[in-house]
């Protein structure tokens, strides 16, 4: 890890994502935020350039990128628009349970089509009464012949109205708590699957979020990932992988906020000089720069740790939690640097604050990240 240099391949991945973010995403970010609009044409272009399904192994037609490679891409995309990035990387979250828990036959069957043609998938874990307490989900999977029947409702599901496939977590035995949970792959076309209407959100408004209902949905046993009761482990291992890219996404928002604030501070005059020459603003910019730098390094460190085969629960929670808190603070300071203009929708920084807020909540609220961090930490002292 002391060597922070990127390989030529990583440099070109980063350049590709940077160019795409600045030429294809950023010019539409404001309009998609305001309307709001789900810009599927941009997601299709991202797919065509290989900027989706980053975690799918090469043997199933994916790019098989390391987590560090993924983070380099995600940070750049988020610089262009965090909401679009959430929709672009949602496939990674939805397909990870198949990568981790699926048999070779299931991987071939479910992953390959995503690498042959543009499709969206959703990760369906959260429920109206069970967000942070993932072991308490109520969606039922009742044994029926050689399969299961699913009943229940999921909420806050990214891309749900546009997805063709869902990774669904359901319990065969609620009394068994997390040990009763199994993971299933459910096609959108299965009778009884009903995505809800788009939620009106504070930020990430270019992405789509809705409920999904499962009413008597038949799922063959062949579409269960891993053994019955292994679903909670699949979900937790998935989140260990996908929280680090959220650190990268938050870093991208923070870098954008810092860049806007620094440029504005050099231009904006007060008391006869650019505000960048006032110490109060310099201190803000210096603190923002430290936060962005630390967020990036913690994210790279978590990615590097996991790429070397470690579980990385501690490192990914640290990266996600620190980077998202940093992102919110940096966006807040960017608004303060802009003063009244920062509060206006005409300027880009208020969107960054709204987008940063979600990174403190999704893929596990930061309170949960601190729970994970403390548990992992204390294990070393017990
Ligand atoms: N990898 C593998 N297994 C894990 C694990 C991990 N990262 N974390 C926990 N487990 C296992 C534990 O080892 C334990 O196994 P046993 O059944 O053998 O004892 C089991 O899972 C239960 O673990 P724990 O007791 O820690 O579970 P809790 O109910 O206390 O919940 C948290 C743990 C809070 C960490 C979990 O519910 C969580 O991550 N919640 C947030 C969910 C989330 O991020 N939602 C966002 C969805 S995507 S937008």
């Amino acid at each position: 890890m002391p060597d922070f240099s990127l390989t030529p391949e990583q440099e070109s991945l980063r350049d590709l994502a940077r160019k795409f973010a600045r030429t294809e995403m950023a010019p539409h970010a404001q309009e998609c935020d305001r309307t709001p609009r789900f810009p599927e044409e941009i997601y299709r272009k991202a797919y065509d350039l290989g900027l989706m399904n980053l975690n799918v192994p090469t043997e199933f037609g994916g790019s098989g990128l390391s987590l560090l490679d993924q983070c380099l891409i995600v940070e750049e995309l988020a610089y262009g628009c965090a909401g679009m990035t959430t929709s672009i990387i949602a496939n990674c979250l939805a397909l990870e349970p198949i990568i981790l828990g699926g048999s070779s036959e299931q991987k071939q069957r479910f992953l390959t089509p995503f690498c042959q043609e543009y499709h969206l998938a959703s990760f369906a874990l959260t429920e109206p009464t069970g967000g942070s307490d993932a072991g308490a989900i109520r969606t039922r999977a009742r044994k029926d012949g050689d399969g299961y029947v699913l009943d229940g409702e999921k909420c806050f599901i990214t891309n749900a109205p546009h997805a063709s496939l869902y990774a669904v977590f359901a319990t065969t035995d609620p009394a068994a708590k997390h040990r009763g949970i199994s993971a299933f792959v459910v096609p959108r076309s299965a009778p009884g699957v009903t995505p809800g209407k788009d939620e009106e959100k504070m930020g990430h408004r270019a992405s789509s979020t809705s409920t999904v209902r499962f009413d008597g949905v038949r799922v063959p046993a062949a579409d269960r990932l891993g053994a019955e009761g292994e679903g909670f482990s699949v979900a937790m291992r998935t989140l260990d992988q996908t929280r680090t890219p959220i650190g990268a996404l938050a870093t991208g928002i923070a870098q954008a906020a810092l860049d806007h604030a620094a440029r504005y501070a050099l231009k904006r005059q007060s008391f006869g000089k650019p505000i960048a020459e006032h110490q109060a603003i310099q201190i803000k910019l210096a603190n923002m720069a430290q936060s962005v730098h630390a967020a990036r390094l913690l994210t790279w460190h978590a990615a590097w740790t996991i790429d070397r085969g470690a579980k990385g629960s501690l490192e990914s929670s640290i990266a996600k939690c620190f980077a998202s808190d940093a992102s919110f603070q940096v966006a807040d300071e960017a608004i303060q640097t802009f003063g009244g203009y920062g509060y206006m929708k005409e300027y880009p920084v208020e969107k960054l604050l709204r987008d940063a807020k979600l990174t403190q909540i999704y893929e596990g609220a930061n309170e949960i990240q601190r729970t994970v961090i403390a548990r992992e930490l204390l294990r070393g002292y017990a």
Side-chain angles (χ1 to χ4, degrees):
M1 188 59 181
D3 181 0
F4 290 103
S5 53
L6 300 178
T7 63
E9 291 77 23
Q10 288 173 326
E11 298 270 11
S12 57
L13 275 177
R14 190 165 69 169
D15 291 347
L16 175 75
R18 181 170 294 176
K19 187 161 171 236
F20 182 75
R22 298 186 189 198
T23 59
E24 302 286 346
M25 294 166 72
H28 304 281
Q30 202 181 42
E31 173 251 317
C32 292
D33 175 60
R34 289 226 185 127
T35 310
R37 185 172 75 84
F38 184 79
E40 194 140 22
E41 75 286 359
I42 296 179
Y43 305 148
R44 284 179 183 276
K45 279 188 196 163
Y47 174 84
D48 290 341
L49 282 173
L51 296 171
M52 280 174 80
N53 308 323
L54 305 172
N55 54 346
V56 176
T58 46
E59 56 189 302
F60 304 108
S63 40
L65 295 178
S66 70
L67 204 52
L68 181 57
D69 296 341
Q70 295 177 42
C71 287
L72 296 171
I73 291 173
V74 172
E75 182 186 328
E76 293 303 328
L77 298 182
Y79 189 99
C81 178
M84 292 181 199
T85 307
T86 287
S87 274
I88 290 171
I89 66 171
N91 274 14
C92 294
L93 174 63
L95 300 180
E96 191 68 33
I98 302 170
I99 296 167
L100 292 174
S103 64
S104 319
E105 181 277 323
Q106 288 173 323
K107 290 181 197 178
Q108 194 67 44
R109 191 153 51 93
F110 295 126
L111 299 177
T112 310
F114 278 80
C115 302
Q116 290 170 337
E117 211 184 324
Y118 168 87
H119 290 289
L120 296 178
S122 298
F123 180 82
L125 173 66
T126 302
E127 299 185 356
T129 56
S132 291
D133 188 1
I137 57 169
R138 292 184 186 170
T139 295
R140 283 300 298 268
R142 289 189 180 77
K143 272 280 227 208
D144 183 60
D146 66 343
Y148 300 83
V149 174
L150 265 53
D151 285 284
E153 187 179 31
K154 300 290 178 177
C155 68
F156 307 145
I157 307 304
T158 301
N159 289 350
H162 307 269
S164 59
L165 200 77
Y166 301 100
V168 184
F169 296 84
T171 177
T172 49
D173 180 7
K177 306 250 173 79
H178 68 272
R179 293 199 179 95
I181 297 173
S182 299
F184 302 92
V185 179
V186 182
R188 163 75 180 88
S189 56
V193 177
T194 319
K197 65 172 183 47
D198 269 330
E199 304 285 357
E200 263 281 355
K201 301 193 298 293
M202 171 182 176
H204 291 242
R205 288 163 59 83
S207 83
S208 163
T209 310
S210 81
T211 55
V212 191
R213 283 207 56 80
F214 299 92
D215 295 303
V217 178
R218 286 201 55 83
V219 183
D223 295 355
R224 188 190 66 226
L225 300 170
E228 204 173 273
E230 268 181 20
F232 190 76
S233 163
V234 171
M236 291 300 109
R237 288 185 289 131
T238 294
L239 293 166
D240 281 345
Q241 292 286 326
T242 57
R243 282 174 179 155
T244 306
I246 299 303
L249 189 150
T251 305
I253 298 173
Q255 182 68 61
L258 172 60
D259 288 357
H260 284 302
R263 286 193 199 107
Y264 183 80
L266 286 168
K267 258 187 0 218
R268 171 76 175 169
Q269 302 268 332
S270 80
F271 301 98
K273 56 186 177 184
I275 61 170
E277 290 178 24
H278 296 307
Q279 213 172 40
I281 299 298
Q282 289 179 356
I283 290 168
K284 275 190 204 310
L285 295 173
N287 287 341
M288 291 158 81
Q290 290 179 65
S291 296
V292 173
H293 197 58
R296 182 175 297 119
L297 290 183
L298 285 171
T299 299
W300 284 21
H301 179 256
W304 175 85
T305 302
I306 293 170
D307 282 338
R308 283 162 57 97
K311 189 162 155 259
S313 304
L314 173 71
E315 293 80 1
S316 57
S317 281
I318 288 178
K320 189 274 187 191
C321 187
F322 183 91
S324 56
D325 283 349
S327 179
F328 188 79
Q329 286 153 10
V330 171
D332 187 26
E333 285 293 62
I335 293 177
Q336 195 68 20
T337 305
F338 273 69
Y341 292 112
Y343 200 67
M344 301 298 148
K345 285 201 180 285
E346 192 188 338
Y347 288 82
V349 283
E350 60 81 34
K351 172 181 185 293
L352 299 176
L353 187 82
R354 290 185 284 108
D355 287 345
K357 186 63 219 170
L358 185 59
T359 65
Q360 295 178 301
I361 299 172
Y362 70 177
E363 300 228 10
N366 281 1
E367 290 72 14
I368 293 298
Q369 308 308 325
R370 289 185 169 87
T371 303
V372 172
I373 293 164
R375 283 183 187 179
E376 295 284 323
L377 179 83
L378 290 170
R379 208 169 282 154
Y381 292 89

